[in-house]
Amino acid sequence: MSDQINHIQNNFKNLSKRAKILKKLREFFWQQNFLEVETPNIVSLPGQEPYLSPVNFLINDEKGRQYSAYLHTSPEYTMKKMLASGFENIFSICKCFRDKESFGGIHNPEFTMLEWYRVNADFFEIMQDVENLFASVGDMKNKFQRIHMRDLWQKFAGVNLDDYLEKEKMFSLCLDKGFKPSEDESYEDLFYRIFLNMIEPQLNGYYIVHHYPAQMAALAKLSDDERYAERFEVYVNGIEIANAFSELTDAKEQKARLVEERKLREKLGASVYNIDEDFVDAVDILPKCAGIALGVDRLVQVLLGCQNIDNVLVLPASKIFK
């Protein structure tokens, strides 16, 4: 019997349960009158996230004209363009693609993303959505603990994060904790040296970690305390499941952040892309809203107790490419 057929047979129960979970996810949003939307998988410009690598290829029209194209890393840009065009509460369950990802564990180059947005809402309402969503798919053995990033660092690293919101101070802290960073590392790199090694492994249980440092705002608006951003991530037993924001609606600030991210990509030796000006225009007329991207495969892993993402995928990359 072929290895691929054997893999599918061995994971028959998991794949059947996965289908039922996807049905419950859709029902959760339908019951709240969300509109399910479809976005293109093929785009002409990828995002600027410094640590993501889009899958690129060439596409030809009927006249033989050739274009550079990319498989999207998330539907975020398109969904925000839809919000700017008048759509309100929307969700999407779609395939996303990222190059240079590991095959197995909690990664796969092709994966399923659930992304949703609420208008006239902030990230606290998305937190409630997350808790209600987990309840709807039958997993409320544990309740989520909401915790400010500052309190998390105090609890697990014995550090007052307020004192380490500048790159120079975070660099010194890394040295004090026994790490050996290079002087040209970004604040985010330094932050994650401590977070990934000293804090994330201790997140046993259900956590909503909110208020990231402003330097790590990504596409989020800043909090009233402008040292922090209205961003949160969802962790279940040390696995990051989702990333959420009160969405930035300042086009000038958004453009500046994208420019900085592009500079960081260049510094890291990653491919550099033009900025999606249509996206920047959308941010300029974006309504007050909040949104989240949740990894469906990881969610299924957590719900079914699977240690390897391969066991919840019909044919993971490890079985396709040998």
Side-chain angles (χ1 to χ4, degrees):
M1 184 179 298
S2 77
D3 189 39
Q4 292 188 353
I5 298 298
N6 189 54
H7 170 85
I8 296 170
Q9 288 186 340
N10 287 341
N11 292 287
F12 184 89
K13 289 184 178 180
N14 287 343
L15 296 172
S16 298
K17 291 177 180 177
R18 176 193 174 105
K20 293 177 181 178
I21 291 170
L22 282 166
K23 180 174 181 287
K24 289 182 179 180
L25 292 177
R26 284 191 163 90
E27 289 173 344
F28 174 81
F29 290 102
W30 291 339
Q31 289 168 4
Q32 298 182 68
N33 295 316
F34 273 68
L35 181 68
E36 183 172 7
V37 300
E38 293 182 301
T39 63
N41 288 341
I42 298 175
V43 296
S44 61
L45 291 170
Q48 299 292 336
E49 297 93 336
Y51 300 100
L52 295 185
S53 298
V55 176
N56 64 287
F57 58 100
L58 296 174
I59 191 168
N60 302 276
D61 68 13
E62 81 285 1
K63 295 181 179 179
R65 289 174 296 202
Q66 197 170 73
Y67 305 88
S68 294
Y70 305 87
L71 296 176
H72 72 168
T73 57
S74 90
E76 180 172 13
Y77 279 24
T78 302
M79 292 183 78
K80 287 184 177 177
K81 291 171 185 177
M82 294 180 75
L83 292 169
S85 300
F87 284 85
E88 295 189 344
N89 295 352
I90 56 177
F91 79 100
S92 172
I93 297 177
C94 65
K95 291 295 185 180
C96 297
F97 308 86
R98 295 177 184 176
D99 201 6
K100 301 180 182 178
E101 295 283 341
S102 62
F103 289 9
I106 59 174
H107 293 278
N108 194 66
E110 176 184 349
F111 60 99
T112 303
M113 184 87 85
L114 163 62
E115 196 154 321
W116 75 90
Y117 293 86
R118 281 189 178 274
V119 296
N120 300 315
D122 63 18
F123 74 154
F124 287 112
E125 288 164 277
I126 302 296
M127 291 181 198
Q128 191 61 55
D129 280 341
V130 169
E131 294 176 356
N132 293 340
L133 182 69
F134 269 76
S136 77
V137 295
D139 184 55
M140 281 306 289
K141 298 185 292 294
N142 299 286
K143 291 189 176 181
F144 280 95
Q145 179 179 345
R146 298 186 186 185
I147 185 167
H148 194 294
M149 182 64 81
R150 176 180 54 224
D151 298 330
L152 193 70
W153 278 58
Q154 189 68 58
K155 180 177 182 179
F156 291 126
V159 168
N160 183 349
L161 188 56
D162 284 353
D163 296 333
Y164 298 95
L165 295 175
E166 298 174 4
K167 178 181 173 180
E168 294 75 15
K169 292 184 177 179
M170 185 61 79
F171 180 84
S172 296
L173 180 62
C174 285
L175 294 177
D176 291 343
K177 294 294 184 180
F179 298 103
K180 297 179 181 179
S182 60
E183 293 189 2
D184 63 348
E185 286 187 26
S186 68
Y187 178 87
E188 184 171 352
D189 287 337
L190 297 169
F191 176 97
Y192 276 120
R193 278 186 177 272
I194 294 174
F195 184 83
L196 295 178
N197 289 284
M198 301 182 65
I199 299 174
E200 188 178 80
Q202 300 188 69
L203 297 180
N204 297 313
Y206 289 53
Y207 284 89
I208 290 175
V209 181
H210 56 86
H211 284 96
Y212 277 62
Q215 297 93 320
M216 302 166 64
L219 303 178
K221 64 175 288 189
L222 297 183
S223 176
D224 290 338
D225 178 352
E226 293 190 350
R227 297 175 300 171
Y228 292 92
E230 292 193 358
R231 171 186 176 186
F232 75 82
E233 291 194 345
V234 179
Y235 281 87
V236 177
N237 296 328
I239 298 177
E240 186 252 311
I241 300 290
N243 188 24
F245 312 128
S246 294
E247 301 296 344
L248 182 66
T249 56
D250 182 332
K252 184 178 179 180
E253 173 64 20
Q254 182 65 83
K255 179 70 173 287
R257 292 186 192 180
L258 293 174
V259 169
E260 286 304 311
E261 286 187 334
R262 187 169 61 180
K263 288 179 181 177
L264 180 54
R265 289 189 66 86
E266 187 172 15
K267 179 180 176 182
L268 293 171
S271 298
V272 177
Y273 313 107
N274 291 332
I275 289 173
D276 185 342
E277 297 292 348
D278 289 317
F279 170 66
V280 176
D281 289 344
V283 171
D284 197 36
I285 55 176
L286 201 63
K288 176 185 177 183
C289 60
I292 184 169
L294 183 150
V296 172
D297 310 304
R298 291 185 184 182
L299 173 65
V300 175
Q301 273 189 266
V302 166
L303 296 178
L304 301 186
C306 296
Q307 297 301 309
N308 196 318
I309 198 171
D310 286 6
N311 299 128
V312 300
L313 300 175
V314 174
L315 284 178
S318 64
K319 300 301 179 184
I320 297 173
F321 305 101
K322 299 177 184 178

